[in-house]
Amino acid sequence: MNNKQTLVVIGNGMVGQYFLAELVSSAAKDRYRIVTFCEEPRPAYDRVHLSDYFAGKSADDLSLVEDGFFQNNAITLYLNDKVVSIDRQRKQVLSANGVTVDYDKLVLATGSCPFVPPVPGNGRAQCLVYRTIEDLEAITAAAKQSKVGAVVGGGLLGLEAAKALRDLGLETHVVEFAPRLMAVQLDENGGALLKRKIEDLGVTVHLNKNTTLIKDGERCLHKMHFADGESLETDIVLFSAGIRPRDGIARACGLDVGVRGGIVIDNQCRTSDDDIYAIGECASWNGQIFGLVAPGYSMARSVAAHLAGQEQPFTGADMSTKLKLMGVDVASIGDAHARTPGALVYTYQDGRADIYKRLVVSADSKHLLGAVLVGDAGGYSTLLQYCLNGIELPENPDALILPSRSGQPAGLGPDALPESAQICSCYAVSKGDVCNAIAGGCATVPALKAETKAGTGCGGCGALLKSVLDCELKKAGVEINTDICEHFPYTRQDLYNLIRVGRIKTFAELLDQHGRGLGCEVCKQAVGSILASYWNEYVLEKPHIGLQDTNDAFLANIQKDGTYSIVPRIPGGEITPDGLIVLGKVAKKYGLYTKITGGQRVDLFGARVEQLPVIWKELIDAGFESGHAYGKSLRTVKSCVGSTWCRYGVNDSVGLAITLENRYKGLRAPHKIKFAVSGCTRECAEAQSKDIGVIATEGGWSLYVCGNGGMKPRHADLFATNLSKEDLIRLIDRVLIFYVRTADRLQRTSVWLENLEGGLDYLKSVVIDDKLGLCDELERQMQHIIGSYQCEWKTTLQDENSLKRFQHFINSDEADDHIVHVEERGQKRPAQPHERRHFQLIEEVA
């Protein structure tokens, strides 16, 4: 232990935390006692997706630190404490809170700070920056007493900040000094199209504006004066005009600093002091400062390798970017401005679809130097690989950006990529790494993600990762049989479409037209689910009864002792005192075990099969209905008390939860579905762990999709924000029916989305943008489900034939008296095997 050297890391942002994670998984872990300082009140979080905070994500949701990371790796963390000086002679750092730590090696990951132009009045109240969670909290507080907001800066960060102001419901302006938006990444035509698309979203863009003064406004808090004599009144001024490296502590201790700022580093990321490294936005390599996170991660890997005695030099980074700004696809690759001597330029513009594409190629037209994509960034991965790997272009390079035509070359296939081609820039995963993982047994995208980490950062490489997997499996001769079973040479999606198009209403019809044999438990239950989800007929009708599993066949969940559970629906968790009394009386009368579930309803356990109809009759007479707890269907819509009672609530979460549960209660699906509605971003209903999650914000409802709190927990993805109740319901209708149509058998929404080619972006394009022209049809299908809803227990009680199946003995009304319960905590529970034997011996003796 005493042989360990001390490594101090100053800064626990995205790059600092990434470095720690790399170090503790390397050979250098046992060489160092690690100490890190974080000047913010919380450890590392995701600044790239900072705007999600306004859409309902919490600081915990944005966290990049695994639970127990610092404790499990024996890392000393000083939170809310800033290092103020470095004594290089004594090799010692001193913090603002008076903490002194000796170091052997030191890593500076101090990041950058927002650039605030030196404009008179820039320090006035509600003149803010957009960098930390504390900044976001200040912006949120200011927005509550404001109507207009202006962002100074039209680059990547500025447009993200503008989205935040718009999400907060403010009239939003972007003020940019340059003649176009995203001047670093886009050419004139691309910038012009981006401006038009953003203005179509209700944001006013002011170009060529040099702010000279900010003073009191007449209608708003501020009045911004520009050099051209014009002015703009606004309540909030949000500076997002670029960044400056935080190199002050390095300057103070005598480290070399670049002419334009930044701590000078070599290819091992060492500073002018061999025992001090610098990584991320605070570092200057060859006179360059990198304002993206991927180069910072690359630097972190280089330092971790160097400390482990290995060489992984940092030799620069690709600054290509692909992102969605306020819903607009934007991408920039390489030499987007055609500065290379002799470069040739190809452009394509579709005025109707608002798409602009530009290729920059070498003078001999053989190699791609750069590209700009606005409005449609679908070809980004292909073009990036051409650029990064020097792959020779097709004979007509413009075919790569023109609309698909017969005879034109398709996109670059995975086989054309060299082994060194980088698939994931966030984690530096090459095609070779992916191929090795596939050869080692990874046969699915989730398995590849777990093994290589590819696709777990920004997620932009997901489509390319899938294409490499498919290509490698095909080359290996792996035939993936997607037949649902031996009786149907089709997938579940195929069967759904055959039923829909052929208007097939029974399993016998489907088997006769498209199958063979007699069927099995797999295809029968799958087809039973499809028929129920499309036609929504009573599942115990004669043509359907043989397709149901035990739970559906008896409209109740069978338990371990052979008894059944009774679960009446309690929409949104709201129940009257009279309703509670009814449940209590029924439970007491029939000796049922009672439990309040995590889904905010009451389960009654221990009913014998012949008791199910009589118990349900009492419940239905009291106004209850089936909770579908036995079906692959909507289970519950959990809710907090929302604005009705809670002082933090900003909307009626209970009312919406009841509306949603009553709307979707009859929907059968490939698997069970759970909802939740939270009345504010404090998230008491845990909406982000549900298949459908809804969170109230100041600007409206935020919709999250495809979460799962089960065996494989998954946070739901933010799907849309600032929704009215009507728009929210419309999107949920579409998502659910598209899931029902396209998911595999017994596939949860979380797994469905992970396996959906194109992922979340594709789902948005189908559901929001109506890419497939299906939205009207999806909504009609949901209306059919809603219109044909029936309480299955109410229907059963009115059908004498159906009631006959709820007899324990076919030829007798007698009950099964061999079921044994014991008392525990004041209620009955099933006897365990040894307890049953005990009672059996007593009976034998008697």
Side-chain angles (χ1 to χ4, degrees):
M1 192 70 165
N2 294 332
N3 294 330
K4 285 189 175 183
Q5 293 187 323
T6 299
L7 171 69
V8 175
V9 182
I10 301 177
N12 187 240
M14 294 181 72
V15 173
Q17 178 61 27
Y18 184 92
F19 167 71
L20 292 175
E22 285 290 305
L23 187 71
V24 299
S25 62
S26 75
K29 176 185 178 181
D30 296 328
R31 300 182 186 178
Y32 296 99
R33 179 177 75 90
I34 306 170
V35 179
T36 187
F37 288 85
C38 176
E39 64 185 77
E40 293 190 51
R42 59 184 62 80
Y45 53 89
D46 187 352
R47 295 187 201 274
V48 173
H49 296 100
L50 207 56
S51 60
D52 288 351
Y53 187 82
F54 294 105
K57 285 209 171 183
S58 67
D60 288 341
D61 295 326
L62 294 171
S63 175
L64 296 174
V65 182
E66 295 179 3
D67 289 343
F69 173 81
F70 296 106
Q71 299 90 326
N72 296 340
N73 293 291
I75 298 173
T76 302
L77 169 68
Y78 291 101
L79 269 183
N80 230 355
D81 197 4
K82 176 182 178 181
V83 172
V84 293
S85 67
I86 300 170
D87 187 330
R88 290 169 54 201
Q89 281 67 43
R90 295 179 178 175
K91 301 187 76 169
Q92 200 174 72
V93 300
L94 173 66
S95 79
N97 291 341
V99 176
T100 300
V101 180
D102 295 331
Y103 69 85
D104 295 288
K105 298 290 183 182
L106 179 64
V107 177
L108 301 177
T110 50
S112 63
C113 58
F115 170 63
V116 178
V119 178
N122 63 11
R124 291 164 55 90
Q126 295 193 180
C127 286
L128 307 168
V129 295
Y130 183 83
R131 188 66 175 167
T132 68
I133 286 179
E134 283 66 40
D135 293 335
L136 303 193
E137 290 172 344
I139 293 167
T140 302
K144 291 179 179 178
Q145 53 193 15
S146 303
K147 293 182 179 179
V148 184
V151 177
V152 178
L156 297 176
L157 291 174
L159 295 179
E160 279 290 313
K163 180 182 184 299
L165 293 183
R166 195 192 65 167
D167 287 348
L168 289 168
L170 301 183
E171 176 189 320
T172 304
H173 298 258
V174 173
V175 178
E176 169 57 43
F177 178 79
R180 63 178 177 272
L181 295 174
M182 289 183 63
V184 174
Q185 291 85 7
L186 301 183
D187 65 339
E188 184 176 345
N189 289 334
L193 176 56
L194 179 61
K195 175 179 181 289
R196 186 166 68 250
K197 291 178 80 75
I198 285 178
E199 288 185 327
D200 287 343
L201 296 171
V203 175
T204 304
V205 178
H206 308 264
L207 301 176
N208 293 299
K209 295 298 181 188
N210 179 16
T211 308
T212 57
L213 174 66
I214 304 172
K215 65 177 187 178
D216 288 345
E218 297 166 12
R219 300 179 305 279
C220 298
L221 182 61
H222 307 296
K223 188 172 187 178
M224 301 173 66
H225 290 264
F226 305 129
D228 60 6
E230 294 185 354
S231 61
L232 171 66
E233 294 216 5
T234 180
D235 297 302
I236 296 175
V237 178
L238 189 51
F239 291 105
S240 192
I243 58 172
R244 294 293 182 269
R246 296 184 63 196
D247 54 17
I249 195 170
R251 291 176 186 271
C253 72
L255 294 176
D256 289 350
V257 176
V259 176
R260 298 169 55 201
I263 307 163
V264 174
I265 60 171
D266 63 12
N267 288 359
Q268 278 68 46
C269 300
R270 290 175 299 195
T271 67
S272 52
D273 184 324
D274 283 351
D275 290 324
I276 302 178
Y277 301 82
I279 57 177
E281 294 172 344
C282 67
S284 173
W285 177 85
N286 276 8
Q288 287 181 273
I289 296 166
F290 300 91
L292 298 176
V293 71
Y297 286 172
S298 182
M299 293 179 191
R301 290 191 292 269
S302 179
V303 175
H306 197 253
L307 290 172
Q310 302 162 358
E311 290 298 319
Q312 188 177 330
F314 176 77
T315 55
D318 173 58
M319 296 298 285
S320 301
T321 55
K322 174 193 171 189
L323 59 160
K324 190 179 287 286
L325 294 168
M326 302 179 74
V328 181
D329 284 335
V330 180
S332 175
I333 296 172
D335 182 12
H337 297 288
R339 295 193 175 102
T340 304
L344 302 176
V345 175
Y346 297 86
T347 61
Y348 165 75
Q349 190 154 4
D350 183 338
R352 174 174 296 197
D354 266 352
I355 292 172
Y356 172 76
K357 300 182 179 183
R358 165 184 168 109
L359 288 186
V360 180
V361 305
S362 59
D364 58 6
S365 296
K366 289 187 176 180
H367 297 99
L368 183 66
L369 303 177
V372 173
L373 307 170
V374 179
D376 176 12
Y380 174 79
S381 295
T382 292
L383 296 175
L384 181 62
Q385 295 302 328
Y386 271 112
C387 187
L388 293 181
N389 297 291
I391 299 169
E392 190 165 326
L393 291 167
E395 183 179 353
N396 299 306
D398 58 345
L400 294 172
I401 57 172
L402 291 173
S404 181
R405 297 284 189 269
S406 176
Q408 287 184 178
L412 184 67
D415 248 356
L417 298 177
E419 293 291 295
S420 60
Q422 192 170 78
I423 303 299
C424 174
S425 59
C426 290
Y427 288 96
V429 181
S430 69
K431 178 188 170 184
D433 297 328
V434 174
C435 292
N436 289 336
I438 295 169
C442 293
T444 66
V445 170
L448 280 177
K449 287 181 176 181
E451 177 68 21
T452 68
K453 291 189 176 181
T456 61
C458 72
C461 62
L464 183 58
L465 184 67
K466 176 71 163 56
S467 66
V468 173
L469 172 65
D470 291 345
C471 180
E472 291 301 306
L473 290 177
K474 185 176 180 181
K475 280 166 40 181
V478 176
E479 181 181 349
I480 303 174
N481 188 345
T482 58
D483 296 352
I484 197 165
C485 71
E486 63 187 271
H487 304 104
F488 289 98
Y490 301 103
T491 65
R492 181 196 172 275
Q493 299 97 310
D494 294 333
L495 292 178
Y496 186 99
N497 289 326
L498 289 171
I499 288 169
R500 179 176 62 86
V501 175
R503 313 293 290 174
I504 296 171
K505 289 198 168 186
T506 68
F507 179 79
E509 287 181 66
L510 185 68
L511 191 64
D512 182 57
Q513 295 181 33
H514 301 287
R516 55 179 176 264
L518 300 176
C520 62
E521 291 305 305
V522 172
C523 63
K524 285 181 178 179
Q525 291 179 20
V527 172
S529 171
I530 294 171
L531 291 171
S533 67
Y534 191 76
W535 297 110
N536 206 27
E537 294 179 343
Y538 178 47
V539 296
L540 298 188
E541 283 185 359
K542 189 173 182 180
H544 307 315
I545 185 64
L547 309 179
Q548 312 307 319
D549 65 12
T550 301
N551 290 343
D552 278 304
F554 290 98
L555 305 180
N557 280 329
I558 191 168
Q559 304 302 318
K560 64 190 293 185
D561 64 345
T563 62
Y564 292 84
S565 61
I566 307 282
V567 189
R569 189 171 298 285
I570 302 176
E574 181 179 82
I575 189 168
T576 64
D578 287 340
L580 284 172
I581 290 169
V582 168
L583 294 178
K585 285 183 175 179
V586 167
K588 192 169 185 178
K589 179 177 179 179
Y590 295 96
L592 306 177
Y593 171 85
T594 60
K595 185 181 187 306
I596 297 173
T597 71
Q600 298 181 162
R601 56 187 184 181
V602 180
D603 281 11
L604 309 174
F605 292 88
R608 298 191 304 270
V609 68
E610 77 278 1
Q611 292 177 317
L612 293 175
V614 293
I615 293 173
W616 270 109
K617 185 176 188 311
E618 291 191 32
L619 293 174
I620 286 173
D621 288 345
F624 288 100
E625 62 182 9
S626 171
H628 283 88
Y630 47 82
K632 300 294 187 287
S633 55
L634 175 68
R635 295 294 178 87
T636 61
V637 181
K638 187 175 180 180
S639 71
C640 63
V641 297
S643 58
T644 307
W645 296 98
C646 179
R647 67 185 188 276
Y648 299 110
V650 296
N651 214 326
D652 178 15
S653 55
V654 178
L656 180 62
I658 292 170
T659 296
L660 294 178
E661 186 155 352
N662 284 327
R663 182 176 183 83
Y664 302 114
K665 60 189 177 184
L667 177 67
R668 296 278 178 153
H671 213 296
K672 63 186 176 184
I673 306 169
K674 296 182 180 182
F675 284 30
V677 183
S678 288
C680 74
T681 56
R682 297 169 76 88
E683 252 285 68
C684 292
E686 301 167 332
Q688 293 177 71
S689 64
K690 301 294 188 287
D691 299 277
I692 297 291
V694 182
I695 301 175
T697 67
E698 296 286 349
W701 298 105
S702 290
L703 173 60
Y704 291 79
V705 299
C706 302
N708 176 12
M711 294 177 64
K712 185 183 176 186
R714 181 187 189 276
H715 263 293
D717 286 303
L718 180 63
F719 194 70
T721 60
N722 294 336
L723 298 171
S724 66
K725 182 178 177 181
E726 294 73 21
D727 289 339
L728 171 73
I729 289 173
R730 186 179 301 111
L731 291 184
I732 295 175
D733 284 356
R734 296 173 181 178
V735 169
L736 290 177
I737 296 297
F738 191 61
Y739 160 62
V740 167
R741 284 190 173 194
T742 60
D744 287 335
R745 169 180 168 270
L746 300 177
Q747 190 175 54
R748 292 293 298 268
T749 61
S750 54
V751 182
W752 169 66
L753 182 61
E754 287 177 354
N755 287 277
L756 191 65
E757 191 165 351
L760 185 67
D761 285 342
Y762 175 71
L763 183 60
K764 286 182 177 180
S765 72
V766 172
V767 169
I768 299 176
D769 303 330
D770 200 12
K771 177 179 181 179
L772 303 180
L774 285 175
C775 287
D776 287 345
E777 189 178 328
L778 298 177
E779 291 175 28
R780 284 196 301 273
Q781 177 64 20
M782 183 60 78
Q783 285 302 322
H784 168 74
I785 298 296
I786 295 164
S788 57
Y789 169 76
Q790 58 186 305
C791 171
E792 291 169 345
W793 263 112
K794 186 174 182 179
T795 302
T796 300
L797 292 172
Q798 296 168 351
D799 183 358
E800 288 297 327
N801 288 326
S802 294
L803 286 174
K804 290 178 182 178
R805 65 184 296 98
F806 294 94
Q807 291 178 255
H808 188 77
F809 300 104
I810 296 175
N811 59 349
S812 171
D813 292 334
E814 291 183 17
D816 179 8
D817 56 4
H818 289 89
I819 294 174
V820 179
H821 290 106
V822 297
E823 189 169 302
E824 185 173 276
R825 295 187 299 276
Q827 293 201 73
K828 293 180 179 179
R829 65 159 174 81
Q832 300 300 312
H834 69 279
E835 294 170 319
R836 292 197 191 98
R837 178 62 182 157
H838 170 74
F839 286 110
Q840 183 181 344
L841 289 172
I842 291 175
E843 289 176 0
E844 289 174 358
V845 170

